[in-house]
Amino acid sequence: MDLRLLFFIIVLSLGFLCSAAGDTPKVRKAYIWIMLTILTMESCLRGISVGSDTHKYREIFDFVDMMSWGDIWDSFVDRYFHRVGDADVGYTVLQKIVHIFTDDFQIFLFICALFFFIPFGELLSRNARNLNELIFIFVFYVALFNPIAMSGTRKEIALGLSILACMRYNDKQYKKAIFWFVIGALNHMSILAVLLYLVVVRLNPEKLKKLHLLSFLLIPVSVFSSGWLISLMAETVENDHYALYANGESLGGGYTFVIAMELLLLLCYIAIKPRDMYQNIRIKNMYSMLPMATFLVPLVMHNGSMVRLSQYFHIYILFLVPFAISRLFNSNSRTIRVVLSLVLIAWATSSTSLLSNYYFFWNDPNPYWGIISF
C-alpha cells in the first residue's frame, strides 16, 4: 500500500478545513495534534516489513522478555564500567518495563512514537507562526522526514529526547535538560553529539554565521574523510556499530538527499541574517544546529545509516526553511511555499520510500515467526 499521496491529501485538506475556522492559536494547536495523532498511528500500526529495522527490533523486544533484571544489570556493568558490548541499557530497561504490562509489540511502538511526537509537537507549537506555514512544514515532514518514526525505535526515542533536552536548556531549565540528555544517552549514545549545540548556541549571531560558513568550506573534508570521521566517533562513544559503518563497504548513496539538504542549508545561510537572530532568540537557537548539520549530512554518502546522526541537527530546517523563504521573498513567500510544496509532493510520490510499501501489522505479507537470530 502506498500511503504517500494519501498523507499529502490529509495534510492539505485538514489544513484547508482549519483555515476556514480561522488562523488562531487554538486552531493551529488542533491541527498539530490531529496530524501528529495520525502520524503516531501510522508508526505504531506498521508491520515488521516496513522499514529496515522493524523486524530486528521486534526480535530484540521478544528477547528482552526472556532476560532477567539481573541480566540487565550485568549488561549495564559491562557496557558502562567494563566497556564491553554496544547495547545501550536504557532501551532494554524500557522494553522490560513495557513487558510488565503487555507483550504487544504494537503498544511498544506506540510508546516509542510518543517519545518523539510529543516533543516534536511542542516544538511545532512554539515555532510555527501561522497555519500556512504549518501546512508547509507537514508537507516537508512527510516528504523527507517520515522515516524517523518508520524504521528504528531507539533513534526515534533519542531524537525526541534531544529535542526535549534542547528546549529545556533554552528555557534555562538546566536540571531537566541534563536529565533528558542522560535518559537519551542511555537509549542511544549518539545523542552525545548534540552536546556540541550547548557550545555553539552561546555564540553571538555574527560568530555563528562565520561558523556556518566554515562548515560549508569543510564539506570536502566530510565527504573525503567520512570513514575516518565515523571511526573517530566510534572510538569516542566506544560503539562497535559506528566502527562497522566506517570499516565496512560503503552503503551510502543518497546523493539526491545530501544535495537537497545542503541546498536548503545554503538557503538558510543566505536568507537568515544576524539581525533576525537578535530579534528572535528561537530562530537563533534553531540556527545554532545548522553548522553541525551542514558538516554531518555528507556522511550519508559513506553510509546511509549516518542520517541517524545528522537528524539531530537537520530536523530544524523544517522551521528555518519557511522562515528563510519569508525573509528572502517577502510578499511572494506564500507562492514560493506553494511551489516548493508541489515540488516536494511530486518528488516524494514518484520516488521509492518506506511509505511506498507500507503494510499494517495485520496484513503484512511476511508474518513474524519469533526470534530467529539470537
Side-chain angles (χ1 to χ4, degrees):
M1 181 185 298
D2 193 332
L3 293 183
R4 291 172 297 184
L5 186 57
L6 174 62
F7 266 82
F8 288 125
I9 291 172
I10 291 173
V11 169
L12 296 174
S13 59
L14 182 60
F16 292 144
L17 286 173
C18 289
S19 296
D23 191 353
T24 65
K26 185 176 181 180
V27 171
R28 290 197 295 270
K29 187 174 182 180
Y31 179 67
I32 288 170
W33 291 108
I34 290 172
M35 282 305 311
L36 293 183
T37 298
I38 294 171
L39 291 169
T40 298
M41 298 311 295
E42 174 211 18
S43 177
C44 72
L45 295 178
R46 70 185 190 265
I48 60 170
S49 298
V50 179
S52 58
D53 295 329
T54 303
H55 190 282
K56 180 188 74 174
Y57 280 111
R58 174 62 193 270
E59 290 186 341
I60 294 173
F61 181 71
D62 288 350
F63 180 75
V64 168
D65 189 32
M66 299 185 293
M67 297 177 67
S68 67
W69 286 105
D71 294 331
I72 295 173
W73 172 252
D74 290 340
S75 179
F76 175 84
V77 172
D78 288 342
R79 176 72 178 96
Y80 300 108
F81 292 94
H82 299 155
R83 307 295 186 183
V84 176
D86 54 25
D88 294 317
V89 180
Y91 181 69
T92 305
V93 171
L94 173 63
Q95 292 176 97
K96 194 66 177 176
I97 291 173
V98 171
H99 274 298
I100 293 173
F101 302 98
T102 180
D103 295 328
D104 193 315
F105 184 61
Q106 309 309 138
I107 294 177
F108 177 67
L109 291 180
F110 175 74
I111 293 170
C112 292
L114 293 181
F115 272 100
F116 172 68
F117 283 117
I118 290 177
F120 185 55
E122 183 178 345
L123 193 66
L124 284 164
S125 298
R126 288 186 178 206
N127 295 290
R129 298 174 298 170
N130 54 65
L131 198 52
N132 287 329
E133 196 169 279
L134 266 176
I135 295 170
F136 174 78
I137 288 172
F138 275 110
V139 168
F140 201 174
Y141 176 87
V142 172
L144 290 176
F145 291 86
N146 204 45
I148 289 172
M150 296 301 296
S151 183
T153 51
R154 284 198 311 140
K155 183 57 176 61
E156 179 185 16
I157 293 170
L159 181 57
L161 293 180
S162 77
I163 292 171
L164 192 58
C166 289
M167 286 192 295
R168 297 298 171 261
Y169 180 83
N170 294 331
D171 293 339
K172 302 187 186 304
Q173 298 177 12
Y174 299 121
K175 290 182 180 179
K176 291 182 179 180
I178 292 171
F179 174 78
W180 291 120
F181 268 123
V182 170
I183 297 299
L186 289 173
N187 278 275
H188 207 297
M189 192 68 77
S190 64
I191 197 177
L192 295 179
V194 184
L195 295 177
L196 291 170
Y197 167 78
L198 306 185
V199 177
V200 174
V201 74
R202 304 184 76 86
L203 299 175
N204 63 46
E206 288 81 9
K207 291 181 179 178
L208 186 54
K209 292 291 288 186
K210 291 178 181 178
L211 180 62
H212 195 191
L213 176 60
L214 178 62
S215 68
F216 277 110
L217 297 176
L218 290 175
I219 286 176
V221 176
S222 180
V223 171
F224 296 110
S225 302
S226 54
W228 175 82
L229 289 169
I230 298 170
S231 294
L232 179 63
M233 287 186 286
E235 294 174 3
T236 301
V237 302
E238 299 186 356
N239 192 309
D240 293 339
H241 285 309
Y242 288 111
L244 290 173
Y245 295 157
N247 300 322
E249 295 182 3
S250 177
L251 301 175
Y255 295 104
T256 302
F257 170 82
V258 172
I259 292 170
M261 281 294 169
E262 294 295 353
L263 287 175
L264 291 171
L265 289 162
L266 182 61
L267 171 67
C268 293
Y269 175 79
I270 294 170
I272 301 175
K273 307 298 183 184
R275 66 175 178 272
D276 297 318
M277 291 185 264
Y278 279 117
Q279 293 171 359
N280 190 331
I281 188 62
R282 289 181 179 173
I283 293 298
K284 178 183 179 292
N285 290 340
M286 291 189 289
Y287 191 92
S288 298
M289 294 288 186
L290 300 195
M292 285 80 75
T294 302
F295 183 74
L296 291 173
V297 162
L299 296 180
V300 174
M301 292 191 294
H302 180 86
N303 190 296
S305 296
M306 295 310 296
V307 71
R308 298 169 184 174
L309 186 63
S310 67
Q311 275 173 350
Y312 288 119
F313 306 103
H314 74 243
I315 192 171
Y316 292 91
I317 68 171
L318 280 169
F319 307 93
L320 292 174
V321 166
F323 181 83
I325 290 172
S326 68
R327 284 294 177 267
L328 207 57
F329 298 99
N330 297 317
S331 59
N332 295 319
S333 60
R334 183 172 181 178
T335 302
I336 297 299
R337 285 200 301 267
V338 170
V339 171
L340 186 53
S341 295
L342 293 174
V343 169
L344 286 169
I345 291 171
W347 173 78
T349 54
S350 63
S351 61
T352 302
S353 76
L354 292 175
L355 287 184
S356 59
N357 290 295
Y358 181 90
Y359 300 101
F360 292 104
F361 71 91
W362 59 79
N363 68 349
D364 196 302
N366 299 307
Y368 178 68
W369 297 107
I371 299 173
I372 60 175
S373 61
F374 287 95

